Amino acid sequence: MKSLKPFILATALFLSLASFVYAQDSQAIIRNRAYQGAEAIQPRYRAIYQLDSNAPATIEKAIRNINNVLQDPRLKEKIEIELIAFSGGTEAYLKNGKYEPALKSLIDQGVIVAQCLNSLKERKLKKEELYDFIAYVPSGNGELVIRSAQGWTIIKP
């Protein structure tokens, strides 16, 4: 019986410790499950989405991401968004592309949809080859630098 006492004490200690750790984990899980995201306490939020790829998956992801943030109830009536295309992203704005309805929908929701003029020059494209509702900026990178300095969040899908 004497030899069992240390074993029983060790087992009891182990089980107590395991129960304590489990209870701690349970509290963390409960706290995590209750979390609903950051509170949007600022009066205004601004984000510029950088589109510099012609990969359909990237273009579609950018459009989907913008629509998702526009639907976030925390940001309703508080967010300003710009989509700036340059380099390969220019292809999303070409008239022969498939993104016209999605881009018009973004504009209808208040998103600025803009194109870098440097990229048009480099690609030997004319404005007439892009949708007629596109806005233009001298340079996409310049737009990102200026917006960043103004406090805008830069998002690259």
Side-chain angles (χ1 to χ4, degrees):
M1 212 41 157
K2 273 188 171 182
S3 63
L4 280 180
K5 240 182 187 176
F7 174 75
I8 292 171
L9 285 173
T11 302
L13 182 62
F14 173 77
L15 290 174
S16 294
L17 186 58
S19 294
F20 176 75
V21 168
Y22 178 75
Q24 293 293 79
D25 283 348
S26 294
Q27 290 302 315
I29 288 169
I30 290 167
R31 197 172 47 253
N32 190 74
R33 193 177 297 137
Y35 182 71
Q36 295 181 356
E39 187 179 345
I41 58 173
Q42 301 298 324
R44 198 85 185 130
Y45 295 87
R46 296 178 175 139
I48 183 166
Y49 286 75
Q50 173 182 337
L51 183 58
D52 61 356
S53 169
N54 63 353
T58 303
I59 295 168
E60 291 160 12
K61 181 180 179 184
I63 293 168
R64 184 175 59 252
N65 285 178
I66 293 169
N67 278 310
N68 285 343
V69 78
L70 288 169
Q71 297 308 310
D72 189 321
R74 299 169 298 173
L75 295 170
K76 284 281 189 199
E77 308 298 324
K78 289 184 163 194
I79 188 143
E80 189 175 344
I81 298 174
E82 180 175 340
L83 173 61
I84 180 67
F86 57 93
S87 190
T90 300
E91 291 186 31
Y93 296 171
L94 291 174
K95 283 183 181 175
N96 64 355
K98 64 179 183 178
Y99 302 107
E100 182 176 12
L103 295 170
K104 279 185 173 178
S105 174
L106 292 179
I107 291 170
D108 288 343
Q109 295 176 81
V111 175
I112 297 167
V113 177
Q115 169 62 45
C116 164
L117 287 172
N118 282 343
S119 292
L120 291 186
K121 214 179 303 176
E122 290 169 4
R123 293 169 173 272
K124 297 178 177 54
L125 293 169
K126 295 182 179 22
K127 287 181 179 180
E128 294 76 30
E129 296 177 72
L130 277 62
Y131 299 120
D132 63 0
F133 52 82
I134 300 297
Y136 295 92
V137 298
S139 87
N141 281 289
E143 189 74 359
L144 292 172
V145 168
I146 293 167
R147 292 300 197 191
S148 177
Q150 293 172 340
W152 289 52
T153 300
I154 298 173
I155 300 173
K156 183 173 168 62

